[in-house]
Amino acid sequence: MLTFLRRYGTLIGFAAILIFFWANLPDTFMTARNWLNISQQLSMLIVVAAGMTIVMVMGDFDLSVGSMASLAGIVVAILFTLGIPVWAAVSLALLVGLVGGAINGALISFIGILPFVATLATLTMFSGAAFVVSGGKTISGRAIPEDFSQFARGGIPLGDWGGVAVSIPNLTLLALAVVVLAWVLLEQTTFGRRLYAIGGNSEAAHLSGVAVRKLKLIAFALTGSTAALAGIMYASRVASANPTQGSSLMLNAIAGVFLGSTLSEHGEPRILYTIVGVLILGVLDNGLTQMSVDSYVRQILVGGIIILAVSASSLTKRLRSR
């Protein structure tokens, strides 16, 4: 019974949340339109959480992803104002994320700075850079090309559902593509298995011939890239960019990975479980918003659920080890 609750407690809680909102919002919650809306709202967080999972399987984390998302959004918008084509601006913004993530990886793996200190420092640097580049202003209006903003509004039509035309948003499809790539990378390649080996025992992985420093650098570079992609997606969705628009992504991404890790047998992060964790947060936010619950109350509830889930996982592990 204890093992069953430890393994499936989070899923049972998720099911209880779904049933609660379905019962209290019978006309709006369990509809195709609402779920597609949830998927679009969560697409940026899913991309960041997928990148966060890559470093958290090694036992590390990256606090700078939110600031990097903001900086990438600003960079792509600034490049638009200079007349740079969409494809080139997006590529350069992704390159900024790749370089920023690589700097994190170099600080942690080659200089030996703790991930908390290194990524906290780069968090402030990236945030400051976003303010400096943008002048602290929101970039919007004619500066944002129509093709760029139309991407977030578009999607693949699914036909009529209850008399309403619905479609899978492009942002949702892009997030799913990132999840598939991250799953293949972590679960189906030698690279991913070595990251898990580093997370299990870094010293043992090094002694067995794993290039720990090099792999950590690559992993952080990938995390920086996904953060930049999320920032670009956000800029496309709102057709604007400001220096703080990605600030909420970091904590929610870490929360999603932690929630998802309670589903795995040994408590390690898994990309598909991370998506479940993000879904729990998204559904909770969507349902409480529809019930007009104050945003501050939502923050308290989300924090409480994370503490409950992680505490239950830790307690059951401790009981099993006795």
Side-chain angles (χ1 to χ4, degrees):
M1 184 65 182
L2 188 63
T3 303
F4 179 82
L5 287 176
R6 186 193 68 80
R7 187 71 190 275
Y8 299 106
T10 303
L11 284 179
I12 294 171
F14 187 29
I17 291 171
L18 290 176
I19 293 170
F20 174 80
F21 286 131
W22 196 355
N24 285 277
L25 302 164
D27 298 327
T28 58
F29 181 71
M30 201 57 78
T31 63
R33 192 177 184 84
N34 186 48
W35 279 91
L36 289 171
N37 183 45
I38 291 174
S39 72
Q40 187 178 36
Q41 289 176 338
L42 289 179
S43 57
M44 287 74 72
L45 180 56
I46 287 173
V47 170
V48 176
M52 187 68 78
T53 305
I54 295 175
V55 293
M56 287 185 72
V57 300
M58 302 185 300
D60 295 331
F61 52 85
D62 186 346
L63 299 179
S64 67
V65 290
S67 295
M68 175 51 72
S70 300
L71 178 59
I74 288 294
V75 167
V76 77
I78 288 290
L79 292 173
F80 288 151
T81 64
L82 299 176
I84 305 295
V86 172
W87 66 269
V90 170
S91 300
L92 288 171
L94 288 173
L95 182 62
V96 169
L98 184 72
V99 172
I103 290 172
N104 281 332
L107 292 173
I108 293 163
S109 58
F110 289 97
I111 299 181
I113 302 176
L114 291 173
F116 176 82
V117 178
T119 58
L120 182 63
T122 54
L123 177 157
T124 59
M125 291 174 63
F126 298 154
S127 178
F131 275 96
V132 169
V133 173
S134 66
K137 300 176 181 176
T138 298
I139 302 169
S140 59
R142 294 181 180 177
I144 308 299
E146 189 69 17
D147 292 345
F148 181 71
S149 55
Q150 280 296 334
F151 174 79
R153 297 173 193 149
I156 298 179
L158 295 177
D160 289 343
W161 197 294
V164 180
V166 295
S167 61
I168 301 178
N170 286 333
L171 294 183
T172 302
L173 295 172
L174 186 54
L176 289 175
V178 171
V179 169
V180 171
L181 288 174
W183 178 80
V184 171
L185 188 71
L186 288 175
E187 307 289 343
Q188 304 296 320
T189 66
T190 303
F191 174 80
R193 287 190 284 275
R194 287 176 175 170
L195 293 189
Y196 278 107
I198 294 172
N201 189 319
S202 178
E203 187 63 27
H206 173 68
L207 293 174
S208 63
V210 174
V212 175
R213 292 179 176 177
K214 179 182 175 182
L215 292 181
K216 281 198 172 192
L217 189 148
I218 295 172
F220 274 94
L222 291 173
T223 302
S225 301
T226 56
L229 177 60
I232 296 167
M233 292 165 67
Y234 198 99
S236 174
R237 186 180 178 214
V238 299
S240 65
N242 71 68
T244 61
Q245 66 186 16
S247 57
S248 65
L249 289 171
M250 180 266 288
L251 283 177
N252 285 330
I254 292 176
V257 179
F258 270 129
L259 269 178
S261 66
T262 62
L263 292 168
S264 64
E265 187 174 359
H266 300 291
E268 76 276 16
R270 296 282 177 183
I271 185 67
L272 296 182
Y273 294 152
T274 292
I275 305 310
V276 176
V278 171
L279 268 178
I280 293 173
L281 297 176
V283 166
L284 195 62
D285 191 61
N286 177 271
L288 292 175
T289 300
Q290 290 194 50
M291 294 178 70
S292 301
V293 175
D294 191 281
S295 62
Y296 300 118
V297 176
R298 296 205 303 271
Q299 291 177 8
I300 294 171
L301 286 174
V302 169
I305 287 173
I306 294 166
I307 291 174
L308 186 64
V310 178
S311 298
S313 176
S314 299
L315 286 173
T316 49
K317 280 182 184 176
R318 186 176 299 176
L319 290 172
R320 289 181 64 188
S321 64
R322 289 180 178 175

